[in-house]
Amino acid sequence: MAEPAPCPHRTFLLETAPEADALLRVLAPFAALGARILALEAREASDRTSIRIEAAGVGGEAGDHLAERLRRLPFVMQVGVVWRLEAAT
């Protein structure tokens, strides 16, 4: 039996201003691109919210485009991206 093709996963690490709807607003671009959210974590501090989103279906140019869209959101202070390949299930 052939091995499953690798599936690109990207983890987006964001720092945002502590706005009440920051998490919902950063998820919108993922939905628009049809990304599949695999893991999500958000932690709020007094001066910022840290958000970690692991997503599938945002490889290559789509992932770069998504990161740029996130950077342009007015309340987003920083965006980092890590990617890896995992076997499809």
Side-chain angles (χ1 to χ4, degrees), residues 48-78:
R48 68 184 59 222
T49 299
S50 298
I51 302 170
R52 180 185 153 289
I53 303 169
E54 185 176 344
V58 288
E61 287 184 28
D64 296 339
H65 177 71
L66 178 55
E68 191 54 39
R69 284 184 66 184
L70 292 168
R71 285 183 185 103
R72 285 189 294 225
L73 294 172
F75 59 94
V76 171
M77 301 174 344
Q78 188 173 5

Side-chain angles (χ1 to χ4, degrees), residues 14 16-32 37 40 42 49 51 53 66 69-76:
L14 297 95
T16 73
E19 295 189 15
D21 63 348
L23 179 58
L24 294 175
R25 291 173 63 193
V26 300
L27 288 174
F30 288 87
I37 304 298
L40 174 65
T49 299
I51 302 170
I53 303 169
L66 178 55
R69 284 184 66 184
L70 292 168
R71 285 183 185 103
R72 285 189 294 225
L73 294 172
F75 59 94
V76 171

